[in-house]
Amino acid sequence: RWVDLGLPSGILWAAYNVGATSPEEYGGYYAWGETEEKSSYTWENYVYREKIHFSNGEWEWIGRDIGNDISNTQYDVATIIWKDGARMPTLSDIEELGQHCTFKPGVYQDVKGCYIIGSNGNRIFLSYGGYIDCDGQDFREYAGYYWLANIYGDYPASSCTLAVDNDGMDWSEDWDRAYGHSVRPVKDKPKEEQ
C-alpha cells in the first residue's frame, strides 16, 4: 500500500488513490474537505460553502474557512477513510516530489497515466482520471487532478491541485473546491525511524 521513493523527508506515498484497490483504478472523487463521494459536484451541494454579495447586486459561492492546510484533520478524506497515519499531501510534499523524483508518462494495465520515479528506483503510478464538475466527467485519459491539502493563496473558492499529464507535473494550479478530484495519500515516516 505504501511506497518509499527515497525522499529526504522519509514520507511514503500510497500506491493507489483513495477509493481504489490498485494503481490503475481512478478511485473516488471528492470535493475539497469532504469525505464522501457524490453523484454531482456543484457549489450548490458543496458542504463547506457560503454566499457572498457584491455591491452590484450579484453573488457567488465561495469556500467556507476550514483551514489553510487540512492535512491530517477531520476534513482530510485520506485520514478519515484510510486512517493508519494516511493524510492528504501538502504543497511542500509535492515540491519535494518534484525536486527528487523523475516523471515519465506511461500506461499501466491499459490505463493512461504517469510514473513518478524515486531516486531509489521505486515508483508510483498516477492515473489520468480527470475531474468531475457541474458538467460531469472531464479530461479522463488525458490528465489527472489530485487535491492537495492547502488552499490557493488568499482566494477562498480555490484549493491547490497537483495536475499531471504527458507534459509533466504542475502543482501551482488552483481549482474550485466544489469539484471532484482524486486523492493520493501520503504517510509520514514513523518517529522511531527518523
Side-chain angles (χ1 to χ4, degrees):
R1 187 180 207 177
W2 299 105
V3 179
D4 179 359
L5 295 172
L7 299 168
S9 68
I11 285 175
L12 304 177
W13 278 81
Y16 45 86
N17 298 338
V18 175
T21 58
S22 61
E24 76 277 9
E25 293 178 5
Y26 298 134
Y29 293 84
Y30 304 90
W32 193 80
E34 294 185 6
T35 58
E36 294 181 1
E37 290 188 80
K38 300 186 287 194
S39 58
S40 65
Y41 292 83
T42 67
W43 277 104
E44 286 72 21
N45 70 13
Y46 179 52
V47 173
Y48 305 110
R49 71 184 188 281
E50 58 188 38
K51 191 183 290 187
I52 59 171
H53 292 269
F54 295 102
S55 57
N56 63 2
E58 294 184 10
W59 61 270
E60 72 170 294
W61 292 109
I62 63 168
R64 196 167 77 228
D65 183 10
I66 59 173
N68 294 337
D69 177 353
I70 62 169
S71 186
N72 203 25
T73 70
Q74 69 192 48
Y75 308 108
D76 183 338
V77 65
T79 298
I80 298 303
I81 292 181
W82 276 26
K83 301 177 176 44
D84 189 36
R87 64 175 179 81
M88 290 172 70
T90 63
L91 266 173
S92 59
D93 296 331
I94 295 296
E95 288 169 358
E96 180 185 52
L97 199 70
Q99 291 167 0
H100 298 280
C101 296
T102 56
F103 171 95
K104 182 181 179 182
V107 175
Y108 182 79
Q109 302 288 11
D110 296 324
V111 174
K112 294 178 182 177
C114 65
Y115 290 97
I116 309 297
I117 306 163
S119 58
N120 58 6
N122 292 340
R123 62 188 184 169
I124 58 173
F125 179 77
L126 298 176
S127 58
Y128 293 166
Y131 64 88
I132 304 176
D133 63 9
C134 56
D135 297 319
Q137 184 80 39
D138 206 358
F139 283 98
R140 181 171 280 185
E141 296 187 5
Y142 295 97
Y145 299 88
Y146 293 82
W147 280 131
L148 304 185
N150 308 91
I151 62 168
Y152 186 81
D154 296 322
Y155 190 55
S158 299
S159 296
C160 296
T161 299
L162 169 65
V164 291
D165 60 23
N166 284 351
D167 293 326
M169 297 191 306
D170 183 358
W171 55 89
S172 63
E173 292 206 12
D174 65 303
W175 283 82
D176 280 3
R177 289 164 47 170
Y179 288 1
H181 282 8
S182 303
V183 174
R184 178 61 62 96
V186 296
K187 183 176 182 179
D188 295 312
K189 189 175 186 179
K191 285 186 169 43
E192 61 271 12
E193 295 180 24
Q194 292 180 1

